[in-house]
Amino acid sequence: MIASIRSVLQKIGHRVIDSVWRMGFAGRFFLLTLMHSGTCFRRFHLILREVFSAGVLSLIIILVSGLFVGMVLGLQGFETLQTYGSEEALGILVAKSLVMELGPVVAALLFASRAGSAITAEIGLMKATEQIAAMEMMAVDPIARVVAPRFWGAVISMPLLAALFSAMGIFGGYLVGVVLIGVDNGSFWSQMQAAVSFDRDILNGVIKSVVFGVAVTTIALFEGFDAPPTAEGVSRATTRTVVTSSLAILGLDFILTAFMFRGV
Amino acid sequence: MQRTILDLWVGIFVVAGLAAILFLALKVGNMAGFENGQTYSLKAGFDNIGGLKPRAPIKSAGVVVGRVGEIGFDNQSYEATVTLNLDSRYQFPKDTSAAIMTSGLLGEQYISLEAGGDEKKLGNGDRLKITQGAVVLENLIGQFLYNKADEGKSKDKAGSL
């Protein structure tokens, strides 16, 4: 009896200590990445390659999802606004919800599952095939050569992808609202412009997407770097990347939104 | 080192992303407004500002001529003090009056400026003398009911006579 309680307590304690240890390691890893950023900006072609694999290759999924999210918003919003006789406010509804919330959040979720998982799998496999150990043997710092360029490539891509998502979504809302249903074109745009302000809505959206980019990329890089060097370990790390970064995005979104509305 | 097809794709991606931000700023937001221009500020006291918010439009004859700056409470006169940031292209006479209006039935509230006939113009930091606060719906309904009750009383009196 006492032995079984003791073993349960030991397991819980082990879990807690292990996760605190991991958190500390992740923090040091993040700081090291930032410290090695200077050298990786001197080798800019490395960053360019990561912008390609994180940003350009995510373009299609971002653009198509943005278009469909905007189209759904247009349809749903029209149905609801119609009951109040204010269909012209469709532009405000589509633009505000996309620019402030859906654009950064959905783009970041897609980015986590498309680019984040790829980063984790790549680095995990590099570790499993001992490429990272080989680099250390040759006195090449793997953080500076492998991690930092991926970090900056993804952090640069994320706000651009979120902006493309929002723009595409607004185009989708326009397509459904104005072209298909027949909301007045002029009032769609003019009401939107009157309600959406650059410094309060659009800039906040950009700030959100930068924060999400940093969070997703850090989690993906760390999970890859910390993965057990086996096939199973890499697959688990990839799954954990998607789950952890999705939760982090939603939690951070709440915190950021709460702070941004305080200021108004 | 030479150019590769990868550089082209990255370039296209970055240009498209920046174009999207520009599109959001200019076409969706109202960054192209006059806000970058020169403004001067006036002050006005209102007995009640209702739901007026900072950055609400200030209109004269229906045209947006400025935006509401700060809104504060004056502890001496127990009034709301509103700072009005007006575009310096528009000058108003000294006896201009300000009123808080609502656009539409449930729309946002804005300040309407009614120009007076004075020769002198308002300058930076001046105070508007004639103001009219927001109409509070509850007071309006209360007044209406009161008038109705009054009408009923006078009718009763007329009937008894």
Side-chain angles (χ1 to χ4, degrees):
Chain A
M1 179 68 191
I2 290 175
S4 72
I5 290 177
R6 221 176 99 176
S7 87
V8 167
L9 281 180
Q10 262 177 350
K11 263 183 198 156
I12 293 173
H14 179 73
R15 272 271 177 106
V16 170
I17 290 172
D18 197 50
S19 57
V20 170
W21 202 333
R22 249 172 79 85
M23 287 269 274
F25 185 39
R28 195 161 62 94
F29 177 79
F30 180 61
L31 280 181
L32 270 179
T33 311
L34 289 186
M35 272 165 61
H36 285 288
S37 303
T39 48
C40 92
F41 270 103
R42 252 176 276 146
R43 286 177 285 180
F44 203 69
H45 62 108
L46 289 179
I47 297 185
L48 277 189
R49 213 175 65 196
E50 298 313 322
V51 171
F52 181 81
S53 65
V56 178
L57 295 181
S58 310
L59 261 183
I60 295 194
I61 187 171
I62 291 280
L63 290 181
V64 173
S65 332
L67 186 69
F68 278 103
V69 166
M71 278 160 68
V72 169
L73 270 180
L75 270 180
Q76 293 269 28
F78 180 80
E79 285 295 319
T80 312
L81 289 172
Q82 201 185 22
T83 42
Y84 302 104
S86 49
E87 303 92 78
E88 278 77 23
L90 188 65
I92 303 177
L93 186 137
V94 171
K96 273 222 165 188
S97 47
L98 271 170
V99 167
M100 293 182 67
E101 280 300 321
L102 286 173
V105 172
V106 179
L109 289 175
L110 290 171
F111 186 75
S113 39
R114 167 67 189 74
S117 59
I119 289 173
T120 306
E122 196 183 2
I123 294 183
L125 266 177
M126 278 177 138
K127 202 182 164 194
T129 51
E130 294 181 335
Q131 293 180 43
I132 292 199
M135 269 184 196
E136 273 171 349
M137 291 287 288
M138 294 186 286
V140 177
D141 191 346
I143 301 243
R145 177 65 179 77
V146 175
V147 173
R150 279 173 177 71
F151 179 79
W152 285 107
V155 170
I156 291 168
S157 309
M158 187 54 230
L160 299 175
L161 287 173
L164 279 168
F165 187 96
S166 302
M168 208 61 197
I170 289 164
F171 177 68
Y174 166 82
L175 220 59
V176 166
V178 176
V179 179
L180 216 67
I181 299 178
V183 174
D184 183 53
N185 188 14
S187 53
F188 181 87
W189 289 110
S190 68
Q191 291 223 13
M192 187 194 295
Q193 282 162 7
V196 179
S197 76
F198 179 75
D199 52 344
R200 221 177 44 208
D201 302 331
I202 296 173
L203 223 55
N204 279 354
V206 173
I207 291 170
K208 269 187 184 178
S209 59
V210 172
V211 173
F212 295 162
V214 171
V216 169
T217 320
T218 309
I219 290 169
L221 287 168
F222 178 71
E223 289 288 359
F225 208 77
D226 196 43
T230 57
E232 196 199 358
V234 173
S235 97
R236 278 200 180 175
T238 313
T239 313
R240 260 213 309 269
T241 296
V242 177
V243 174
T244 318
S245 46
S246 304
L247 290 177
I249 289 162
L250 296 172
L252 279 174
D253 182 47
F254 174 73
I255 294 170
L256 286 175
T257 311
F259 268 109
M260 283 162 182
F261 279 117
R262 272 279 173 79
V264 172
Chain B
M1 194 164 159
Q2 57 197 15
R3 282 198 222 177
T4 60
I5 203 79
L6 186 143
D7 296 341
L8 174 69
W9 277 108
V10 172
I12 290 173
F13 169 63
V14 171
V15 168
L18 292 180
I21 292 181
L22 207 69
F23 163 79
L24 291 177
L26 296 181
K27 184 83 185 173
V28 177
N30 50 3
M31 203 200 180
F34 67 90
E35 269 126 286
N36 321 332
Q38 295 271 311
T39 59
Y40 65 103
S41 59
L42 304 176
K43 284 210 185 314
F46 291 96
D47 53 355
N48 190 341
I49 58 162
L52 191 73
K53 297 212 168 53
R55 292 190 44 76
I58 299 166
K59 296 182 186 177
S60 186
V63 180
V64 177
V65 295
R67 296 224 171 250
V68 171
E70 277 171 56
I71 296 176
F73 184 71
D74 184 359
N75 213 1
Q76 243 73 60
S77 59
Y78 302 110
E79 274 188 331
T81 314
V82 177
T83 313
L84 293 80
N85 295 326
L86 293 172
D87 192 336
S88 14
R89 278 179 298 171
Y90 308 115
Q91 301 288 329
F92 288 92
K94 280 262 181 207
D95 56 347
T96 296
S97 65
I100 297 178
M101 306 271 200
T102 312
S103 54
L105 191 59
L106 298 165
E108 60 169 352
Q109 290 192 302
Y110 65 95
I111 294 184
S112 166
L113 291 182
E114 195 82 37
D118 204 315
E119 302 266 299
K120 287 189 201 127
K121 301 286 186 197
L122 285 164
N124 194 16
D126 282 355
R127 203 178 172 86
L128 292 174
K129 299 265 160 30
I130 317 160
T131 62
Q132 186 198 329
V135 175
V136 181
L137 210 57
E138 285 86 343
N139 291 353
L140 207 66
I141 293 170
Q143 218 163 27
F144 175 75
L145 290 177
Y146 193 74
N147 286 352
K148 270 283 175 211
D150 247 15
E151 257 175 50
K153 249 184 228 162
S154 56
K155 247 183 214 159
D156 281 351
K157 265 184 203 161
S160 67
L161 278 172

